[in-house]
mmCIF file of all heavy atoms in Angstrom:
data_model
loop_
_atom_site.group_PDB
_atom_site.id
_atom_site.type_symbol
_atom_site.label_atom_id
_atom_site.label_comp_id
_atom_site.label_asym_id
_atom_site.label_seq_id
_atom_site.Cartn_x
_atom_site.Cartn_y
_atom_site.Cartn_z
ATOM 1 N N ARG W 1 0.824 -1.211 -0.004
ATOM 2 C CA ARG W 1 0.012 -0.013 0.009
ATOM 3 C C ARG W 1 0.878 1.264 0.006
ATOM 4 O O ARG W 1 0.562 2.250 -0.653
ATOM 5 C CB ARG W 1 -0.959 -0.024 1.175
ATOM 6 C CG ARG W 1 -2.002 -1.119 1.158
ATOM 7 C CD ARG W 1 -3.127 -0.882 2.155
ATOM 8 N NE ARG W 1 -2.679 -0.844 3.527
ATOM 9 C CZ ARG W 1 -2.604 -1.906 4.336
ATOM 10 N NH1 ARG W 1 -2.915 -3.109 3.900
ATOM 11 N NH2 ARG W 1 -2.201 -1.772 5.585
ATOM 12 N N ALA W 2 1.985 1.239 0.763
ATOM 13 C CA ALA W 2 2.837 2.388 0.824
ATOM 14 C C ALA W 2 3.534 2.625 -0.545
ATOM 15 O O ALA W 2 3.709 3.765 -0.982
ATOM 16 C CB ALA W 2 3.890 2.198 1.933
ATOM 17 N N ALA W 3 3.946 1.572 -1.193
ATOM 18 C CA ALA W 3 4.583 1.692 -2.509
ATOM 19 C C ALA W 3 3.610 2.267 -3.543
ATOM 20 O O ALA W 3 3.951 3.123 -4.350
ATOM 21 C CB ALA W 3 5.104 0.334 -2.965
ATOM 22 N N LYS W 4 2.373 1.775 -3.485
ATOM 23 C CA LYS W 4 1.348 2.303 -4.402
ATOM 24 C C LYS W 4 1.133 3.765 -4.153
ATOM 25 O O LYS W 4 1.081 4.577 -5.094
ATOM 26 C CB LYS W 4 0.023 1.543 -4.219
ATOM 27 C CG LYS W 4 -1.131 2.168 -5.002
ATOM 28 C CD LYS W 4 -2.438 1.405 -4.866
ATOM 29 C CE LYS W 4 -3.582 2.195 -5.485
ATOM 30 N NZ LYS W 4 -4.833 1.455 -5.587
ATOM 31 N N ALA W 5 1.033 4.181 -2.874
ATOM 32 C CA ALA W 5 0.820 5.594 -2.534
ATOM 33 C C ALA W 5 1.991 6.447 -3.024
ATOM 34 O O ALA W 5 1.803 7.578 -3.479
ATOM 35 C CB ALA W 5 0.611 5.737 -1.024
ATOM 36 N N ALA W 6 3.213 5.951 -2.878
ATOM 37 C CA ALA W 6 4.388 6.715 -3.295
ATOM 38 C C ALA W 6 4.390 6.915 -4.808
ATOM 39 O O ALA W 6 4.710 7.988 -5.300
ATOM 40 C CB ALA W 6 5.670 5.960 -2.841
ATOM 41 N N ILE W 7 4.062 5.861 -5.550
ATOM 42 C CA ILE W 7 4.047 5.953 -7.015
ATOM 43 C C ILE W 7 2.938 6.902 -7.474
ATOM 44 O O ILE W 7 3.175 7.815 -8.253
ATOM 45 C CB ILE W 7 3.870 4.576 -7.648
ATOM 46 C CG1 ILE W 7 5.087 3.663 -7.328
ATOM 47 C CG2 ILE W 7 3.697 4.700 -9.163
ATOM 48 C CD1 ILE W 7 4.844 2.216 -7.663
ATOM 49 N N ASP W 8 1.715 6.668 -6.943
ATOM 50 C CA ASP W 8 0.581 7.493 -7.390
ATOM 51 C C ASP W 8 0.753 8.952 -6.984
ATOM 52 O O ASP W 8 0.442 9.865 -7.772
ATOM 53 C CB ASP W 8 -0.711 6.934 -6.766
ATOM 54 C CG ASP W 8 -1.178 5.652 -7.419
ATOM 55 O OD1 ASP W 8 -0.630 5.295 -8.502
ATOM 56 O OD2 ASP W 8 -2.049 4.985 -6.852
ATOM 57 N N GLY W 9 1.200 9.179 -5.765
ATOM 58 C CA GLY W 9 1.308 10.563 -5.289
ATOM 59 C C GLY W 9 2.530 11.284 -5.815
ATOM 60 O O GLY W 9 2.525 12.521 -5.903
ATOM 61 N N GLY W 10 3.579 10.546 -6.170
ATOM 62 C CA GLY W 10 4.833 11.187 -6.532
ATOM 63 C C GLY W 10 5.139 11.307 -8.007
ATOM 64 O O GLY W 10 5.987 12.087 -8.412
ATOM 65 N N SER W 11 4.428 10.530 -8.833
ATOM 66 C CA SER W 11 4.794 10.462 -10.229
ATOM 67 C C SER W 11 4.617 11.794 -10.995
ATOM 68 O O SER W 11 5.272 12.025 -11.995
ATOM 69 C CB SER W 11 4.023 9.346 -10.923
ATOM 70 O OG SER W 11 2.624 9.568 -10.832
ATOM 71 N N GLU W 12 3.705 12.637 -10.521
ATOM 72 C CA GLU W 12 3.473 13.924 -11.182
ATOM 73 C C GLU W 12 4.159 15.085 -10.477
ATOM 74 O O GLU W 12 4.009 16.229 -10.878
ATOM 75 C CB GLU W 12 1.965 14.195 -11.279
ATOM 76 C CG GLU W 12 1.185 13.107 -12.024
ATOM 77 C CD GLU W 12 1.674 12.873 -13.434
ATOM 78 O OE1 GLU W 12 2.021 13.853 -14.101
ATOM 79 O OE2 GLU W 12 1.711 11.697 -13.875
ATOM 80 N N LEU W 13 4.875 14.798 -9.426
ATOM 81 C CA LEU W 13 5.601 15.827 -8.672
ATOM 82 C C LEU W 13 7.005 16.010 -9.229
ATOM 83 O O LEU W 13 7.542 15.122 -9.853
ATOM 84 C CB LEU W 13 5.709 15.421 -7.200
ATOM 85 C CG LEU W 13 4.385 15.333 -6.373
ATOM 86 C CD1 LEU W 13 4.725 14.820 -4.963
ATOM 87 C CD2 LEU W 13 3.695 16.653 -6.302
ATOM 88 N N PRO W 14 7.619 17.173 -8.975
ATOM 89 C CA PRO W 14 9.066 17.281 -9.223
ATOM 90 C C PRO W 14 9.809 16.209 -8.453
ATOM 91 O O PRO W 14 9.335 15.812 -7.370
ATOM 92 C CB PRO W 14 9.419 18.689 -8.713
ATOM 93 C CG PRO W 14 8.103 19.457 -8.746
ATOM 94 C CD PRO W 14 7.033 18.404 -8.452
ATOM 95 N N GLN W 15 10.897 15.706 -8.986
ATOM 96 C CA GLN W 15 11.588 14.565 -8.348
ATOM 97 C C GLN W 15 11.896 14.796 -6.884
ATOM 98 O O GLN W 15 11.760 13.909 -6.058
ATOM 99 C CB GLN W 15 12.855 14.187 -9.136
ATOM 100 C CG GLN W 15 13.545 12.976 -8.552
ATOM 101 C CD GLN W 15 14.586 12.400 -9.481
ATOM 102 O OE1 GLN W 15 14.299 12.077 -10.647
ATOM 103 N NE2 GLN W 15 15.809 12.314 -8.986
ATOM 104 N N GLU W 16 12.339 16.033 -6.554
ATOM 105 C CA GLU W 16 12.706 16.300 -5.155
ATOM 106 C C GLU W 16 11.517 16.078 -4.227
ATOM 107 O O GLU W 16 11.646 15.457 -3.181
ATOM 108 C CB GLU W 16 13.207 17.736 -5.039
ATOM 109 C CG GLU W 16 13.601 18.095 -3.610
ATOM 110 C CD GLU W 16 14.059 19.558 -3.505
ATOM 111 O OE1 GLU W 16 14.111 20.236 -4.541
ATOM 112 O OE2 GLU W 16 14.385 19.973 -2.378
ATOM 113 N N LYS W 17 10.311 16.564 -4.670
ATOM 114 C CA LYS W 17 9.150 16.390 -3.852
ATOM 115 C C LYS W 17 8.707 14.930 -3.857
ATOM 116 O O LYS W 17 8.215 14.420 -2.831
ATOM 117 C CB LYS W 17 8.023 17.271 -4.404
ATOM 118 C CG LYS W 17 8.297 18.767 -4.309
ATOM 119 C CD LYS W 17 8.430 19.241 -2.832
ATOM 120 C CE LYS W 17 8.617 20.705 -2.736
ATOM 121 N NZ LYS W 17 8.796 21.185 -1.310
ATOM 122 N N GLY W 18 8.871 14.257 -4.974
ATOM 123 C CA GLY W 18 8.525 12.839 -5.043
ATOM 124 C C GLY W 18 9.359 12.020 -4.103
ATOM 125 O O GLY W 18 8.864 11.091 -3.457
ATOM 126 N N LEU W 19 10.651 12.362 -4.000
ATOM 127 C CA LEU W 19 11.527 11.626 -3.112
ATOM 128 C C LEU W 19 11.149 11.875 -1.637
ATOM 129 O O LEU W 19 11.294 10.970 -0.803
ATOM 130 C CB LEU W 19 12.994 12.032 -3.377
ATOM 131 C CG LEU W 19 13.564 11.564 -4.686
ATOM 132 C CD1 LEU W 19 14.903 12.194 -4.944
ATOM 133 C CD2 LEU W 19 13.705 10.026 -4.698
ATOM 134 N N GLU W 20 10.703 13.081 -1.362
ATOM 135 C CA GLU W 20 10.238 13.350 0.005
ATOM 136 C C GLU W 20 9.026 12.483 0.338
ATOM 137 O O GLU W 20 8.905 11.960 1.450
ATOM 138 C CB GLU W 20 9.888 14.840 0.144
ATOM 139 C CG GLU W 20 11.092 15.764 0.105
ATOM 140 C CD GLU W 20 10.733 17.232 0.101
ATOM 141 O OE1 GLU W 20 9.519 17.544 0.184
ATOM 142 O OE2 GLU W 20 11.654 18.069 0.042
ATOM 143 N N LEU W 21 8.098 12.374 -0.621
ATOM 144 C CA LEU W 21 6.945 11.517 -0.416
ATOM 145 C C LEU W 21 7.364 10.075 -0.241
ATOM 146 O O LEU W 21 6.842 9.367 0.634
ATOM 147 C CB LEU W 21 5.970 11.662 -1.584
ATOM 148 C CG LEU W 21 4.756 10.735 -1.548
ATOM 149 C CD1 LEU W 21 3.881 10.977 -0.311
ATOM 150 C CD2 LEU W 21 3.913 10.892 -2.820
ATOM 151 N N GLU W 22 8.292 9.635 -1.046
ATOM 152 C CA GLU W 22 8.767 8.257 -0.932
ATOM 153 C C GLU W 22 9.338 8.001 0.467
ATOM 154 O O GLU W 22 9.060 6.958 1.093
ATOM 155 C CB GLU W 22 9.880 7.989 -1.987
ATOM 156 C CG GLU W 22 10.459 6.616 -1.903
ATOM 157 C CD GLU W 22 11.643 6.449 -2.849
ATOM 158 O OE1 GLU W 22 12.756 6.885 -2.497
ATOM 159 O OE2 GLU W 22 11.443 5.893 -3.930
ATOM 160 N N ALA W 23 10.059 8.981 1.004
ATOM 161 C CA ALA W 23 10.645 8.812 2.343
ATOM 162 C C ALA W 23 9.528 8.693 3.408
ATOM 163 O O ALA W 23 9.640 7.876 4.335
ATOM 164 C CB ALA W 23 11.566 9.987 2.656
ATOM 165 N N ARG W 24 8.473 9.467 3.251
ATOM 166 C CA ARG W 24 7.368 9.393 4.207
ATOM 167 C C ARG W 24 6.666 8.032 4.111
ATOM 168 O O ARG W 24 6.268 7.444 5.114
ATOM 169 C CB ARG W 24 6.374 10.535 3.976
ATOM 170 C CG ARG W 24 6.969 11.913 4.268
ATOM 171 C CD ARG W 24 5.851 12.937 4.381
ATOM 172 N NE ARG W 24 5.108 13.142 3.156
ATOM 173 C CZ ARG W 24 5.491 13.971 2.171
ATOM 174 N NH1 ARG W 24 6.601 14.682 2.292
ATOM 175 N NH2 ARG W 24 4.752 14.087 1.059
ATOM 176 N N CYS W 25 6.510 7.533 2.885
ATOM 177 C CA CYS W 25 5.873 6.242 2.721
ATOM 178 C C CYS W 25 6.747 5.109 3.236
ATOM 179 O O CYS W 25 6.272 4.133 3.827
ATOM 180 C CB CYS W 25 5.530 6.003 1.212
ATOM 181 S SG CYS W 25 4.242 7.089 0.584
ATOM 182 N N TYR W 26 8.062 5.233 3.037
ATOM 183 C CA TYR W 26 8.998 4.251 3.561
ATOM 184 C C TYR W 26 8.895 4.184 5.097
ATOM 185 O O TYR W 26 8.902 3.115 5.701
ATOM 186 C CB TYR W 26 10.423 4.607 3.129
ATOM 187 C CG TYR W 26 11.457 3.520 3.414
ATOM 188 C CD1 TYR W 26 11.897 2.680 2.402
ATOM 189 C CD2 TYR W 26 11.965 3.327 4.684
ATOM 190 C CE1 TYR W 26 12.835 1.706 2.654
ATOM 191 C CE2 TYR W 26 12.895 2.327 4.964
ATOM 192 C CZ TYR W 26 13.309 1.525 3.922
ATOM 193 O OH TYR W 26 14.266 0.545 4.187
ATOM 194 N N ALA W 27 8.773 5.376 5.679
ATOM 195 C CA ALA W 27 8.739 5.440 7.150
ATOM 196 C C ALA W 27 7.533 4.677 7.714
ATOM 197 O O ALA W 27 7.590 4.188 8.841
ATOM 198 C CB ALA W 27 8.706 6.917 7.596
ATOM 199 N N LEU W 28 6.469 4.560 6.931
ATOM 200 C CA LEU W 28 5.278 3.841 7.392
ATOM 201 C C LEU W 28 5.596 2.331 7.615
ATOM 202 O O LEU W 28 4.922 1.668 8.385
ATOM 203 C CB LEU W 28 4.154 3.991 6.398
ATOM 204 C CG LEU W 28 3.604 5.414 6.195
ATOM 205 C CD1 LEU W 28 2.576 5.400 5.072
ATOM 206 C CD2 LEU W 28 2.989 5.937 7.461
ATOM 207 N N THR W 29 6.563 1.843 6.900
ATOM 208 C CA THR W 29 6.885 0.410 6.986
ATOM 209 C C THR W 29 7.812 0.058 8.152
ATOM 210 O O THR W 29 7.872 -1.112 8.573
ATOM 211 C CB THR W 29 7.517 -0.106 5.668
ATOM 212 O OG1 THR W 29 8.843 0.441 5.519
ATOM 213 C CG2 THR W 29 6.658 0.272 4.466
ATOM 214 N N LEU W 30 8.544 1.036 8.642
ATOM 215 C CA LEU W 30 9.587 0.745 9.618
ATOM 216 C C LEU W 30 9.067 0.181 10.946
ATOM 217 O O LEU W 30 9.661 -0.755 11.486
ATOM 218 C CB LEU W 30 10.448 2.007 9.882
ATOM 219 C CG LEU W 30 11.296 2.464 8.706
ATOM 220 C CD1 LEU W 30 12.060 3.728 9.042
ATOM 221 C CD2 LEU W 30 12.283 1.340 8.315
ATOM 222 N N PRO W 31 7.978 0.703 11.495
ATOM 223 C CA PRO W 31 7.524 0.187 12.799
ATOM 224 C C PRO W 31 6.663 -1.075 12.716
ATOM 225 O O PRO W 31 6.126 -1.511 13.733
ATOM 226 C CB PRO W 31 6.716 1.362 13.380
ATOM 227 C CG PRO W 31 6.138 2.031 12.181
ATOM 228 C CD PRO W 31 7.208 1.901 11.087
ATOM 229 N N THR W 32 6.522 -1.677 11.532
ATOM 230 C CA THR W 32 5.581 -2.790 11.402
ATOM 231 C C THR W 32 6.230 -4.108 11.837
ATOM 232 O O THR W 32 7.428 -4.375 11.684
ATOM 233 C CB THR W 32 5.134 -2.942 9.940
ATOM 234 O OG1 THR W 32 6.243 -3.263 9.108
ATOM 235 C CG2 THR W 32 4.504 -1.664 9.417
ATOM 236 N N SER W 33 5.371 -4.987 12.351
ATOM 237 C CA SER W 33 5.834 -6.315 12.696
ATOM 238 C C SER W 33 6.117 -7.142 11.440
ATOM 239 O O SER W 33 6.939 -8.075 11.480
ATOM 240 C CB SER W 33 4.781 -7.045 13.539
ATOM 241 O OG SER W 33 3.530 -7.104 12.877
ATOM 242 N N ASP W 34 5.481 -6.778 10.301
ATOM 243 C CA ASP W 34 5.777 -7.477 9.054
ATOM 244 C C ASP W 34 7.245 -7.303 8.659
ATOM 245 O O ASP W 34 7.849 -8.253 8.131
ATOM 246 C CB ASP W 34 4.886 -6.933 7.933
ATOM 247 C CG ASP W 34 3.486 -7.529 7.966
ATOM 248 O OD1 ASP W 34 3.255 -8.483 8.726
ATOM 249 O OD2 ASP W 34 2.633 -7.015 7.229
ATOM 250 N N ARG W 35 7.789 -6.139 8.894
ATOM 251 C CA ARG W 35 9.216 -5.907 8.522
ATOM 252 C C ARG W 35 10.128 -6.817 9.352
ATOM 253 O O ARG W 35 11.075 -7.423 8.809
ATOM 254 C CB ARG W 35 9.590 -4.439 8.750
ATOM 255 C CG ARG W 35 11.014 -4.091 8.276
ATOM 256 C CD ARG W 35 11.326 -2.650 8.524
ATOM 257 N NE ARG W 35 11.418 -2.352 9.967
ATOM 258 C CZ ARG W 35 12.514 -2.527 10.704
ATOM 259 N NH1 ARG W 35 13.608 -2.987 10.159
ATOM 260 N NH2 ARG W 35 12.514 -2.236 11.996
ATOM 261 N N LEU W 36 9.829 -6.960 10.613
ATOM 262 C CA LEU W 36 10.623 -7.859 11.496
ATOM 263 C C LEU W 36 10.420 -9.286 11.058
ATOM 264 O O LEU W 36 11.360 -10.088 11.099
ATOM 265 C CB LEU W 36 10.251 -7.629 12.927
ATOM 266 C CG LEU W 36 10.437 -6.224 13.486
ATOM 267 C CD1 LEU W 36 9.981 -6.150 14.939
ATOM 268 C CD2 LEU W 36 11.908 -5.814 13.363
ATOM 269 N N GLU W 37 9.210 -9.649 10.694
ATOM 270 C CA GLU W 37 8.922 -11.018 10.241
ATOM 271 C C GLU W 37 9.691 -11.305 8.956
ATOM 272 O O GLU W 37 10.230 -12.420 8.773
ATOM 273 C CB GLU W 37 7.409 -11.193 9.999
ATOM 274 C CG GLU W 37 7.013 -12.395 9.135
ATOM 275 C CD GLU W 37 7.357 -13.746 9.782
ATOM 276 O OE1 GLU W 37 7.747 -13.767 10.975
ATOM 277 O OE2 GLU W 37 7.216 -14.753 9.068
ATOM 278 N N ALA W 38 9.806 -10.340 8.046
ATOM 279 C CA ALA W 38 10.551 -10.536 6.809
ATOM 280 C C ALA W 38 12.033 -10.791 7.105
ATOM 281 O O ALA W 38 12.658 -11.691 6.493
ATOM 282 C CB ALA W 38 10.392 -9.312 5.895
ATOM 283 N N LEU W 39 12.597 -10.058 8.054
ATOM 284 C CA LEU W 39 14.005 -10.265 8.417
ATOM 285 C C LEU W 39 14.185 -11.630 9.060
ATOM 286 O O LEU W 39 15.177 -12.330 8.766
ATOM 287 C CB LEU W 39 14.458 -9.127 9.361
ATOM 288 C CG LEU W 39 14.513 -7.728 8.774
ATOM 289 C CD1 LEU W 39 14.831 -6.714 9.851
ATOM 290 C CD2 LEU W 39 15.577 -7.678 7.677
#
């Protein structure tokens, strides 16, 4: 869901702004138990 949001929200933005959105979407995954399960 975060990857979809980053692509949809950032693809029409200037790259700098798109990268900022990508970072915010990435941050959503860090506290998840799924990330720890993947590791």
Side-chain angles (χ1 to χ4, degrees):
R1 295 194 298 269
K4 172 178 171 171
I7 296 168
D8 287 347
S11 58
E12 303 302 321
L13 295 176
Q15 182 166 305
E16 180 182 359
K17 296 296 183 182
L19 290 171
E20 291 174 2
L21 175 61
E22 179 186 80
R24 293 195 297 273
C25 291
Y26 191 102
L28 296 174
T29 69
L30 292 177
T32 64
S33 58
D34 280 350
R35 185 181 68 85
L36 299 178
E37 164 64 10
L39 293 174

